Amino acid sequence: IDASGGPPCHGPVPCPNFCWMAADVSSHAWLKDCTIDPGLAQSLAFARWDEILRPAHREVGDDDVTEFVVNKKTLIIHESGGKKNGTIPEVIWGCGLALAHFLQDEEMFPPRSLIGNRCLELGSGTGLVGLTAALLGCEVVLSDLPEVLPQLQANVERNGIETASVVAVPWGAASVAGHPAPFDLVLLSDVVYMGYAEDLAKLVTTLSAVCDTNTTALLCYKRRFHDCEQAFFELLSKEFTVKAVTSPKYAELMMFEDIHIFQLHKFSAMYQEAVSAERLWQQKVLRAKLAHRNNMNKSNNDDSNLNDNV
């Protein structure tokens, strides 16, 4: 395809969905009626995703340095080891970019609406999302495992953000040292993936401990079709309402990357008790039905044996 706007080409696979997506994200209307190779269309869409959401970045020694504009200020985020050699928490991922942009969407968060909110980010990694919230007026606690804290602290200091602090919070913790719960806003980006499947129940425990019914939690999640994802959302739905939200500005790009943002609100204690009672009642009814079925089967077998004897 001639990206300058030349005549459409016809690849080997008719693929209207890929064409439609590539047309929208590349701003070339002529792509709408073209049949192109899906891989090529996908590369066009990813290129546009990268252009819109991923900010300017450069290499400094072994690190990648990303510049991200928030509220007319530029965040400088170092990614230790860069994209090639950095570990999972040391680099910026698509969910982090999506959630950082979402926080700045004035259709979702009117100007100044975040000022003064106490905010906790769980699994901060580089700190991009939490520091974005800080520049939008939140008092932010960035948290992760102890070995990630030096990078987080360095990113806070190099940006001179006095409303952000760094604390170790392993998932499963019932509190955040020095920062009493509940928080007004809790942020989570790309915390659901196969590598940490065994810790997801602990994450729900910590999330529940830092929220009350007035807390808004935002979870940005990339679907990867791992078994742990369904298990995580089943656990989450026992304590929180889970509502999908989207930023109209980036909806199509996020759909292509299969990235989703959910707004979470904790059930009240009374509601949780009612749900637990309902579940217990359903289990009791199910056991009664199974017992009745077993008795009926036994009775039928006894009648059959009696007839055979006769």
Side-chain angles (χ1 to χ4, degrees), residues 251-270:
E252 291 165 359
L253 290 167
M254 290 173 62
M255 180 176 66
F256 201 98
E257 287 260 328
D258 218 351
I259 286 177
H260 310 270
I261 296 176
F262 296 98
Q263 187 178 80
L264 315 176
H265 285 105
K266 190 176 181 180
F267 296 140
S268 67
M270 183 178 297

Side-chain angles (χ1 to χ4, degrees), residues 72-89:
K72 298 181 180 180
K73 299 177 182 178
T74 300
L75 274 177
I76 306 296
I77 303 293
H78 277 240
E79 302 170 75
S80 301
K83 297 292 185 296
K84 295 180 180 178
N85 301 313
T87 62
I88 288 174

Side-chain angles (χ1 to χ4, degrees), residues 27-95:
S27 300
H28 291 302
W30 54 267
L31 279 175
K32 291 179 182 177
D33 301 320
C34 138
T35 54
I36 61 175
D37 180 271
L40 182 53
Q42 186 174 11
S43 68
L44 281 173
F46 280 139
R48 187 62 171 169
W49 164 271
D50 203 65
E51 177 184 332
I52 293 176
L53 291 189
R54 184 167 293 283
H57 68 278
R58 62 186 188 276
E59 294 183 2
V60 177
D62 294 331
D63 295 356
D64 281 355
V65 177
T66 292
E67 297 179 359
F68 190 76
V69 178
V70 181
N71 207 16
K72 298 181 180 180
K73 299 177 182 178
T74 300
L75 274 177
I76 306 296
I77 303 293
H78 277 240
E79 302 170 75
S80 301
K83 297 292 185 296
K84 295 180 180 178
N85 301 313
T87 62
I88 288 174
E90 290 176 333
V91 298
I92 294 172
W93 298 93
C95 285

Side-chain angles (χ1 to χ4, degrees), residues 52-56 66-77 92 96-106 109-112 114-115 126-138 140 155 159 161 163 187 249-250:
I52 293 176
L53 291 189
R54 184 167 293 283
T66 292
E67 297 179 359
F68 190 76
V69 178
V70 181
N71 207 16
K72 298 181 180 180
K73 299 177 182 178
T74 300
L75 274 177
I76 306 296
I77 303 293
I92 294 172
L97 289 168
L99 190 51
H101 279 283
F102 182 80
L103 291 173
Q104 297 181 77
D105 190 331
E106 294 186 356
F109 296 95
R112 304 180 64 83
L114 292 177
I115 292 177
T126 63
L128 171 66
V129 176
L131 291 176
T132 296
L135 289 185
L136 292 171
C138 291
V140 179
N155 279 332
N159 287 282
I161 298 177
T163 55
L187 303 171
K249 187 176 181 180
Y250 300 111

